[in-house]
Amino acid sequence: MRRLRPRTALPPLPARSPLAGRSPCSPRCPLLVLSVFAALTSLALLAGCADVDGLQSEGRARDVDAPLVLWPRYSPAPPGRDENPVALVPVPNVPRIPSGTMADANPLAVLDADIAAQGRTPPAPKAVRPPELHDITGDGKANLIMAVDLDPRTSELRVYSVRRTVVTRVLVLRGVLAGVDLAAGHLVIREPTKDPRYVSVTDYVWDGHSMTLWNITLDDARTPQTPRAGGGSP
């Protein structure tokens, strides 16, 4: 009679790991791999672009030095009365004007008297442009604007006002008058520059006491304006 051996107990199974039953790559693993692959691909593309179209060195930048001021302790004296274009100068030997408007003055007589007072010979009538009457001092009364062509290129601009019944020169300028404009009470002088595409624009305005230099800028050159009936820019 066969004897049966007693059944031995099987060894206990090891504790189940939290990762047991999972594949080596979890559901999130493919996404992580794709992200890393995309990043590496982008870096490779950027590296390739940098080699072709990226920033290129042009060598050492040019040194920038501050302006060197010559004779810093010297400065010019302020302009004298005869040199100051906006100096108020009463015109001698012309009648007073109680009305306060230059519309009641003789334009050629005022111009000749002013130039003669400076020791110069009055210009020939054909060199004088037609006078212009406009209010540029803001008092509602006309001022006189005269231009004299000294030669085919150079001209002289003179502006007169009535100050306490006295005819007074308030502005005198000499230059190449590419244009003279009036805008919002400002007297704008245009002169050519070395570049034919641009003109220098000097802007004067009455500040209540005298004509003041308001601004100097550059502007695009323009073709000569067609004269307008009733006056306008010379």
Side-chain angles (χ1 to χ4, degrees):
M1 182 174 185
R2 176 185 291 181
R3 292 183 180 180
L4 297 178
R5 294 181 180 180
R7 182 177 297 179
T8 57
L10 295 176
L13 295 176
R16 185 178 181 85
S17 171
L19 297 179
R22 291 192 181 183
S23 62
C25 185
S26 66
R28 295 183 182 180
C29 190
L31 297 179
L32 179 60
V33 172
L34 290 177
S35 300
V36 172
F37 178 78
L40 293 176
T41 304
S42 300
L43 289 175
L45 291 175
L46 290 176
C49 293
D51 290 340
V52 179
D53 299 327
L55 297 177
Q56 300 294 329
S57 175
E58 296 183 355
R60 180 180 177 183
R62 183 173 59 115
D63 294 334
V64 178
D65 297 328
L68 177 62
V69 180
L70 305 182
W71 308 297
R73 298 182 180 180
Y74 292 84
S75 59
R81 185 175 182 179
D82 294 338
E83 301 172 331
N84 189 353
V86 298
L88 302 183
V89 179
V91 180
N93 303 321
V94 293
R96 289 175 175 264
I97 303 180
S99 64
T101 173
M102 289 299 300
D104 294 336
N106 184 330
L108 289 178
V110 171
L111 179 67
D112 291 349
D114 187 25
I115 293 177
Q118 293 181 301
R120 295 166 47 192
T121 302
K126 65 179 181 179
V128 181
R129 300 184 189 183
E132 294 279 354
L133 292 170
H134 300 279
D135 177 21
I136 60 176
T137 57
D139 60 0
K141 298 179 179 180
N143 304 113
L144 175 62
I145 305 174
M146 302 286 289
V148 181
D149 296 324
L150 304 178
D151 56 46
R153 180 172 176 81
T154 309
S155 303
E156 195 170 68
L157 182 73
R158 291 174 180 258
V159 181
Y160 301 95
S161 181
V162 179
R163 316 309 301 166
R164 298 181 180 177
T165 74
V166 177
V167 176
T168 305
R169 185 219 306 152
V170 298
L171 181 67
V172 57
L173 295 171
R174 178 179 293 191
V176 181
L177 302 183
V180 180
D181 302 337
L182 291 175
H186 290 225
L187 183 64
V188 182
I189 314 299
R190 296 174 176 270
E191 297 184 85
T193 65
K194 292 183 178 180
D195 190 333
R197 298 174 299 172
Y198 303 103
V199 293
S200 172
V201 181
T202 308
D203 190 350
Y204 288 90
V205 66
W206 181 261
D207 66 358
H209 305 282
S210 64
M211 296 294 293
T212 300
L213 177 61
W214 181 265
N215 198 12
I216 299 177
T217 58
L218 287 178
D219 196 6
D220 294 333
R222 65 190 185 191
T223 57
Q225 290 180 317
T226 302
R228 295 176 296 177
S233 300

